[in-house]
Amino acid sequence: QVQLVESGGGSVQVGDSLRLACAISGRTFSNGAVGWFRQAPGKEREFVATCRWNCRTLYYADSVKGRFTISRDNAKNTVYLQMNSLKPDDTADYYCAAGNSLITSTLRNGDAYDYWGQGTQVTVSL
């Protein structure tokens, strides 16, 4: 049984940093993709970042490029999202997602991912 468990969310101030973790069990997704999406209150889910093929290839949303970094610890089967220079617009529930059969054109589409975590909340205040 595949499980994705997020951790690391919290309440911080503008400019602070947080590191989210997604612990994966049941499958490695070494040939697939593991990524992060977020959903703010009243808004649609949006792509944040994803890494493919054991994070040899990385993709970021323009809104987080240069501030967020996705990485993977293969020994722990855990994917991280390091978030720096946080802004109020980054406030959202953050979800980890994983999938085995994604093509490049679908990596930013949450519907293409097969497994999801329960989410972790990030709040950035002034």
Side-chain angles (χ1 to χ4, degrees), residues 5 13-14 21 71 76 123:
V5 179
Q13 295 186 317
V14 170
S71 63
K76 296 182 179 179
T123 303

Side-chain angles (χ1 to χ4, degrees), residues 18-52:
L18 277 175
R19 188 177 78 157
L20 306 183
C22 173
I24 305 166
S25 60
R27 191 174 291 183
T28 62
F29 297 100
S30 57
N31 293 320
V34 181
W36 292 91
F37 291 77
R38 68 187 181 186
Q39 186 165 19
K43 295 187 177 181
E44 293 187 353
R45 181 180 63 195
E46 65 172 347
F47 167 77
V48 176
T50 196
C51 69
R52 199 176 182 187

